């Protein structure tokens, strides 16, 4: 083919995300080639490109024709299901690729798979990027948040494309080079873990307002609309307000009340919690959100438990919870509790990223991560600009909790936060995300914890030793022998 007729970039995998991202690239003026094993998907994408503005997009039906239609050094985005389908696609395409060409995996891939593939394709002289893409179908089409990690040379080859395709905010496009290896996939994974926490906290705010405050869906929609004009302004708060407004076309009332209370998931939240455990980083809010998804899946068990416990005499406190509640105060308290809980959840995610960055030598820029999440992605929020500035003030910030501005805001909101959690507990409404965030805050802020007793127990039964607060070194004590000797003949409360 004539060089002038070659596409600037290619994309393989034309499910909805792939189609939308390809059309986004084409709409920004970059000629793009597309390929899919199922040929009807290629035809469908070509039809959309025609209908959506005669976009510069060409379809190809074999791996060879697809690869050869792209100008060297070739850059090819893969958007297929994570795992073996990625390996199969790489095998089919790389057969026709040349040294210096690049593969970009845009799926939610486990970061170690990306690091394995970087090594494997390097033997053929190929470059590799693992690129997190956030924003769902709408983001892919009109501007996602992009998190590319791996070969810096490969990033530079398509930097101009990614900067145009990404969501645009006042301080630049929502894309940056994340770092080496699987850092892009890891950052996207933690982003999704934070997203789990955000969604859980919002659902708890809804639960308390609905069942303690007795608010209608219309009132909830109005409240969330109002919150979206203040410090909680975000994509998730905005869409929550919209959800409450949708009527059920098959019956009376709103659709939200007819949805089965079982939550699905695709695995990134679980990976986040597993990594937190492996790195010894506390992430209780994210873990609580994952546990809630597991428990929501036990729908039949929960229904049986509800019946058994009622028969055993458990009173339904929820029914009478809102009788003596000041609704206006409750609404404001829940707003403050939600905001304070979010700070803790984001702090946990950022600390997990810092720990992995230190382990792998990725040198992540946390202020820049907060910046590229300000647009395009699911967790986009005004709040993220505050996080960006916190890390600009102190790139080595130990935790968002101790940033001067966030610390002041949490102290100001803690009374409301405690009222909401206490009210929910007394009403029998579970708020595991808010409770986890509050417990995290209360544990982190205490200069001394009861861990001294746990350490003494470990030393007693396992001779694990302990350190003292008043002198250096490790110590072991014969606790049982000394304790019983000292208590011999002495009454417990003498």
């Amino acid at each position: 083919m004539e060089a002038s007729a070659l596409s600037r970039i290619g994309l393989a995998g034309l499910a909805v995300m792939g189609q939308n991202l390809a059309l986004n690239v084409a709409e920004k003026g970059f000629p793009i080639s597309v390929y899919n094993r199922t040929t009807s998907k290629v035809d469908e994408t070509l039809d959309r490109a025609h209908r959506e503005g005669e976009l510069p997009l060409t379809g190809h039906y074999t791996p060879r024709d697809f690869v050869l239609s792209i100008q060297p050094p070739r850059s090819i985005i893969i958007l297929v299901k994570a795992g073996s389908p990625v390996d199969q696609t790489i095998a089919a395409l790389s057969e026709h690729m040349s040294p210096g060409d690049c593969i970009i995996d845009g799926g939610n891939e486990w970061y170690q798979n990306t690091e394995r593939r970087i090594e494997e394709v390097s033997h053929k002289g190929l470059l590799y990027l693992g690129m997190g893409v956030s924003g769902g179908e709408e983001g892919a089409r009109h501007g996602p948040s992009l998190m590319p990690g791996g070969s810096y040379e490969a990033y530079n080859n398509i930097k101009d494309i990614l900067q145009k395709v990404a969501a645009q905010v006042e301080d630049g496009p929502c894309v940056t080079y994340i770092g080496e290896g699987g850092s892009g996939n890891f950052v996207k994974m933690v982003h999704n873990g934070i997203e789990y926490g955000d969604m859980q906290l919002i659902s708890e705010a809804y639960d308390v307002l609905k069942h303690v405050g007795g608010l209608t869906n219309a009132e909830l929609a109005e409240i969330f609309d109002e919150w979206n004009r203040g410090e909680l302004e975000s994509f998730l708060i905005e869409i929550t307000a919209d959800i409450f407004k949708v009527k059920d076309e098959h019956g009376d009332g709103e659709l939200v009340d007819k949805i089965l209370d079982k939550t699905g998931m695709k695995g990134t939240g679980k990976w986040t919690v597993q990594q937190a455990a492996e790195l010894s980083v506390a992430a209780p809010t994210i873990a609580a959100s994952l546990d809630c998804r597991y428990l929501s899946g036990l729908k039949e068990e929960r229904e049986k438990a509800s019946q058994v416990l009622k028969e055993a005499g458990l009173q339904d406190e929820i029914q009478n919870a809102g009788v003596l509640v000041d609704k206006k105060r409750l609404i404001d308290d829940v707003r403050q509790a939600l905001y304070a809980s979010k700070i803790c959840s984001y702090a946990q995610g950022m600390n997990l990223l810092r720990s992995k960055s230190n382990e792998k030598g990725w040198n992540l820029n946390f202020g820049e991560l907060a910046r590229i999440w300000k647009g395009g992605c699911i967790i986009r929020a005004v709040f993220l600009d505050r996080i960006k500035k916190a890390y600009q003030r102190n790139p080595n910030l130990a935790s968002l909790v101790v940033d001067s501005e966030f610390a002041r805001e949490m102290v100001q909101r803690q009374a409301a936060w405690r009222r909401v959690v206490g009210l929910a507990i007394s009403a029998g409404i579970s708020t595991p995300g808010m409770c986890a965030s509050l417990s995290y805050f209360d544990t982190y802020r205490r200069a001394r914890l009861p861990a001294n007793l746990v350490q003494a127990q470990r030393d007693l039964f396992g001779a694990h030793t302990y350190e003292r607060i008043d002198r250096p070194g490790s110590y072991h004590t014969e606790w049982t022998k000394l304790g019983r000797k000292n208590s011999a003949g002495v009454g417990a409360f003498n």
Side-chain angles (χ1 to χ4, degrees), residues 443 445-453 469:
T443 303
R445 71 181 176 82
R446 288 186 64 188
R448 185 162 173 81
L449 295 170
N452 55 317
L453 179 58
I469 60 174

Side-chain angles (χ1 to χ4, degrees), residues 483-494:
R484 291 176 183 174
K485 177 183 175 182
N486 292 342
S487 66
V490 179
F493 296 102
N494 282 357

Side-chain angles (χ1 to χ4, degrees), residues 1-260:
M1 292 179 67
E2 291 289 329
S4 59
L6 295 176
S7 294
R8 174 67 198 282
I9 192 169
L11 189 145
L14 297 172
V16 177
M17 281 289 288
Q19 282 189 26
N20 282 359
L21 189 60
L23 293 166
N24 184 353
V25 171
E27 191 172 61
K28 298 303 188 295
F30 299 102
I32 182 169
S33 296
V34 299
Y35 165 75
N36 198 85
R37 281 198 311 170
T38 306
T39 58
S40 61
K41 289 290 184 184
V42 178
D43 294 334
E44 189 180 304
T45 309
L46 286 168
D47 182 58
R48 285 189 62 189
H50 172 70
R51 287 186 288 109
E52 295 180 26
E54 297 293 346
L55 302 177
L57 181 148
T58 57
H60 303 271
Y61 299 92
T62 69
R64 182 179 183 278
D65 288 348
F66 169 62
V67 172
L68 296 182
S69 72
I70 305 162
Q71 70 182 49
R74 302 175 182 91
S75 297
I76 297 175
I77 299 170
I78 295 173
L79 269 170
V80 299
K81 189 177 179 182
S84 58
V86 176
D87 291 309
Q88 292 163 11
T89 305
I90 290 171
L93 298 178
S94 62
E95 191 176 330
H96 310 288
M97 297 175 75
S98 306
D101 290 352
C102 174
I103 295 169
I104 305 112
D105 177 16
N108 278 332
E109 187 56 272
W110 175 236
Y111 83 100
Q112 288 180 332
N113 283 342
T114 294
E115 296 191 334
R116 167 178 61 80
R117 290 171 186 139
I118 288 172
E119 180 66 24
E120 288 172 354
V121 303
S122 70
H123 297 304
K124 297 182 178 181
L126 302 179
L127 308 177
Y128 200 91
L129 284 173
M131 182 172 72
V133 179
S134 180
E137 299 171 16
E138 190 72 13
R141 182 64 184 86
H142 300 292
S145 175
L146 300 172
M147 295 155 253
S151 165
Y152 187 65
E153 181 184 347
Y155 172 71
N156 272 334
N157 287 345
I158 56 168
K159 181 178 177 181
D160 59 332
I161 299 176
L162 298 183
Q163 288 184 337
K164 287 282 182 67
V165 164
Q168 307 293 315
V169 292
E170 72 281 356
D171 46 3
C174 292
V175 60
T176 191
Y177 175 70
I178 301 296
E180 296 179 350
S183 59
N185 294 114
F186 195 91
V187 166
K188 174 58 163 57
M189 177 196 77
V190 174
H191 161 286
N192 286 19
I194 292 170
E195 179 186 312
Y196 272 50
D198 250 358
M199 294 170 75
Q200 177 62 31
L201 291 168
I202 290 169
S203 74
E204 291 173 16
Y206 153 68
D207 203 14
V208 171
L209 291 173
K210 183 180 180 70
H211 291 110
V212 176
L215 299 177
T216 65
N217 289 326
E219 289 172 320
L220 287 165
E222 189 177 327
I223 288 161
F224 276 81
D225 271 334
E226 183 181 336
W227 285 357
N228 198 47
R229 294 190 289 271
E231 64 189 9
L232 288 171
E233 181 186 335
S234 66
F235 172 70
L236 286 170
I237 293 291
E238 177 186 349
I239 66 170
T240 301
D242 291 338
I243 286 168
F244 292 128
K245 300 169 188 173
V246 176
K247 300 292 183 183
D248 179 18
E249 60 181 5
H250 300 295
D252 297 332
E254 286 75 35
L255 179 57
V256 68
D257 294 326
K258 309 294 174 62
I259 296 174
L260 184 66

Side-chain angles (χ1 to χ4, degrees), residues 379-394:
I379 64 171
R380 61 185 183 265
V382 169
F383 172 80
L384 282 156
D385 195 57
R386 319 259 328 266
I387 294 178
K388 181 194 81 170
K389 289 174 180 173
Y391 283 108
Q392 285 178 337
R393 284 192 292 272
N394 181 5

Side-chain angles (χ1 to χ4, degrees), residues 474-487:
S474 296
Y475 296 86
H476 169 61
T477 295
E478 296 292 338
W479 295 92
T480 301
K481 181 169 43 173
L482 290 173
R484 291 176 183 174
K485 177 183 175 182
N486 292 342
S487 66

Side-chain angles (χ1 to χ4, degrees), residues 361-392:
W362 286 338
N363 196 29
L364 297 181
N365 182 329
F366 307 111
E368 185 70 349
L369 296 184
R371 186 193 68 77
I372 67 169
W373 290 344
K374 284 169 57 180
C377 70
I378 304 302
I379 64 171
R380 61 185 183 265
V382 169
F383 172 80
L384 282 156
D385 195 57
R386 319 259 328 266
I387 294 178
K388 181 194 81 170
K389 289 174 180 173
Y391 283 108
Q392 285 178 337

